[in-house]
Amino acid sequence: MTGRPVPAAVSAGHGGLDGATARRRYVTVSFLFWLPIGMSIATGVLLFTERGMGLAAVAGFYAVHSLTAAAMELPTGGLSDVIGRRPVLAIAGLLNLTAFTLIGLGAAGWAIALGMGLMGLARALSSGPAEAWYVDTVHAHAGPDADLRTGLARGSSATSAALALGTVLGGGLPWLLGLAPGPGEWLADTTGGLVIPLSVPALLGALVEGVFVLYVLSALPEPTRPRTTLRRVVGGVPAAIAAGLRLGARDALIRRILLTASAAGAALAAVELLTPGRAAALMGTAESGALVFAGLACAGFLCSALGSQLAPLVARFTGGSERAVLASLGVVVLGLTLLGLTTHTMSPLATTVAVTGYVLVYLGLGAAGPNENDLLHRRVDASGRATALSVQSLSLQLVAAGAGLGAGALPPGPLPWLLAATAVLAGALLWVRRAAPPKGFPDAPPRPDAAAVRPDAAGGQPDAGPVTADAAP
C-alpha cells in the first residue's frame, strides 16, 4: 500500500489547483461538515428528552451512532480509495442532511435512532476523503516533498472552530427563541409540534449540509477514475481494508501513529465523560453545570484549533514532526495529571488548576494531530490514503469506547484521570527514539481496472512515493 510510484492518473485531474487554493477549499469543507455537528452538541440530549424519551433511550440513540461509525469506518475508507473522494464526501453530506432532518422533526424513537445511525455512517464516510483529497492535490501540484503540515493544521483548526461556533449557536438559538413565548409557540403551533425551539439547530444544520454537498461537488476536482461496476467496487473495498489492517504490522512508524491515536482516544473519553459531572458538582445544579460544560467544550474546541495552528511551529522548534508529537503528548499528560490532582477540592485555586489542565489537554491534542498525519501521509501513497486515515480513526474510537466504559466503572476521584494520563504517557514514550526508514513497503491494494489508468494528460510525472518518515519539510 506504500512506497510504490502512483499511476500518473492519480495525480492528474485536480483542476490545476495550486497548494494555496487546495488548502482554502479543504479548510472550507472541514468547516462546513463539522458546523452542523457542533450545533447538535448542546441540544441533542435535551431535544430527545423533550420528545419524551427516557435517559436509557437517549443512551441507546448515541450507542447506535457510535457503533455504526465504528463498524463502517474501514469499509467506507476503502470505498473512498476505490470510487473517489468527492462522491464519498457528497454521500456523507446527504446522509447527514437526512439525519438532521429526522432528528429535528422526529417524534418517534425509530426516527431518532435512524437519524443517529445515518449520522454515524456519515461520520465514518467523512473520516478520510477530504484530507486525502487535499494531500493528493498538493502532491499533484508540488510533488511528494510538499509541505503538508500547514494545510493539515488549518483544516484541523477549521474543524475545531466549526465545533466551537456550532456549540455556541446550538445552545444560543433555542435560548433566544425562548426569551419571548411568541416565536417558540408559533413554531410549535404552525408545525403541529414537529418543530420546537430545541429542534431548530438540527434543522438549520440540515440546511448547512445542503450547502456542504453543493460545495463538495463544485469545488473538489479529482482525477477521472477508471469506469467500474458495483461488483468491482464491492470486490475492491475488502482488498483496501486488508491493506489498511496490514499497515501497523508492516511499518513501525505507522504502528506508532495508530497507538498514539488510541492514547488520544483514552484521553478524550476521560475528559468527555468526567468533566460534566465535575462542572455540575462545582455549580450545584445539573442545569448550571450543563451551561458551564458547554462553555468549557467551546473553549476546548478553540484550544484544539489553536494547537493545530501551532503544530508547524512546534515541529520547527523541536526539530521535526516526531519530536513535535512527543512534546505535544507531554502537554496532554500534564493536563490530565492536573485534572486528576484537583478532583477532591472545589477551591478557587484547584478550579483554576483544573481549567488549566482541561485547556492543556485540548491544546496538546490539537498540536499533535497535524504532525502525526504529516508523518502518515509521507508513508502512505494515494491508493490507500483514506483507508489509512480510517484505520487511525478506528483506533481512536475503539479505545475511546473501552476507556469510557472503564472510567465510568471506576470510583470517582483521581484514578480515572491518572490512568488516562498513563495511557497518553505510554503513547508519548513511543516517540522518544526516532523511527528508522522502512526496510520494505507492503503492496498497494488492487484498484478496479487499474490497467485502464490513463497517462497524465498534462505530461506530469507520477507521484514518486513517500519519503522517509523523519524527513520533515
Side-chain angles (χ1 to χ4, degrees):
M1 186 172 190
T2 57
R4 289 186 172 184
V6 181
V10 175
S11 58
H14 289 91
L17 299 182
D18 58 23
T21 302
R23 184 166 58 241
R24 286 194 298 270
R25 295 188 182 187
Y26 170 54
V27 166
T28 303
V29 165
S30 300
F31 185 88
L32 287 175
F33 183 82
W34 287 99
L35 179 63
I37 295 173
M39 294 171 65
S40 70
I41 290 175
T43 57
V45 174
L46 295 175
L47 173 61
F48 301 153
T49 304
E50 188 71 15
R51 296 293 196 193
M53 307 298 164
L55 290 179
V58 173
F61 297 149
Y62 282 98
V64 168
H65 174 276
S66 298
L67 293 175
T68 303
M72 298 304 297
E73 190 68 64
L74 286 181
T76 53
L79 182 65
S80 172
D81 286 330
V82 172
I83 69 172
R85 324 303 190 194
R86 182 170 59 181
V88 172
L89 280 173
I91 293 170
L94 291 173
L95 289 173
N96 260 347
L97 188 156
T98 305
F100 284 119
T101 302
L102 286 170
I103 290 170
L105 299 178
W110 68 265
I112 298 174
L114 177 59
M116 294 296 283
L118 292 176
M119 192 183 299
L121 179 55
R123 172 68 183 87
L125 281 165
S126 69
S127 65
E131 186 171 321
W133 174 88
Y134 168 70
V135 177
D136 291 346
T137 304
V138 172
H139 281 177
H141 176 76
D145 293 328
D147 172 51
L148 297 175
R149 276 193 302 255
T150 300
L152 296 175
R154 292 186 182 178
S156 182
S157 295
T159 295
S160 299
L163 289 169
L165 177 60
T167 301
V168 173
L169 290 175
L173 285 174
W175 177 76
L176 289 174
L177 290 172
L179 285 179
E185 292 180 357
W186 178 83
L187 280 174
D189 292 341
T190 303
T191 61
L194 287 178
V195 180
I196 59 176
L198 286 171
S199 64
V200 170
L203 297 176
L204 184 58
L207 294 177
V208 175
E209 289 293 348
V211 175
F212 168 81
V213 172
L214 294 176
Y215 187 82
V216 165
L217 294 176
S218 63
L220 302 188
E222 61 177 344
T224 301
R225 294 179 181 256
R227 289 185 176 275
T228 187
T229 64
L230 178 61
R231 180 178 179 181
R232 286 173 176 166
V233 168
V234 173
V237 169
I241 294 172
L245 293 175
R246 290 194 299 266
L247 282 173
R250 296 197 181 190
D251 191 311
L253 180 66
I254 293 179
R255 187 159 57 247
R256 288 187 187 185
I257 293 170
L258 298 180
L259 291 172
T260 302
S262 300
L268 288 171
V271 171
E272 293 174 359
L273 180 70
L274 302 175
T275 303
R278 290 183 66 167
L282 176 66
M283 300 304 296
T285 65
E287 293 77 11
S288 299
L291 181 62
V292 170
F293 177 66
L296 277 174
C298 180
F301 294 138
L302 292 176
C303 289
S304 181
L306 176 61
S308 297
Q309 285 291 99
L310 294 175
L313 178 63
V314 175
R316 288 194 294 269
F317 181 77
T318 58
S321 292
E322 292 189 45
R323 292 292 188 232
V325 174
L326 173 61
S328 300
L329 293 180
V331 172
V332 179
V333 172
L334 176 60
L336 290 169
T337 302
L338 293 178
L339 284 163
L341 295 177
T342 54
T343 54
H344 288 314
T345 176
M346 300 289 179
S347 69
L349 177 60
T351 300
T352 302
V353 172
V355 171
T356 302
Y358 186 91
V359 166
L360 290 177
V361 169
Y362 280 94
L363 189 68
L365 290 175
N371 285 300
E372 291 173 38
N373 284 14
D374 173 67
L375 293 167
L376 179 66
H377 291 306
R378 293 177 184 280
R379 214 67 154 199
V380 180
D381 65 29
S383 65
R385 183 161 286 127
T387 301
L389 292 169
S390 290
V391 175
Q392 183 187 29
S393 177
L394 181 62
S395 299
L396 186 149
Q397 291 184 54
L398 289 179
V399 173
L405 292 173
L410 291 171
L415 183 58
W417 297 101
L418 297 180
L419 287 177
T422 302
V424 178
L425 177 60
L429 293 176
L430 295 172
W431 300 93
V432 171
R433 297 181 61 185
R434 292 186 182 272
K439 296 180 180 179
F441 294 101
D443 294 334
R447 299 174 65 241
D449 295 318
V453 175
R454 296 182 295 104
D456 189 344
Q461 297 298 316
D463 191 326
V467 298
T468 57
D470 200 46

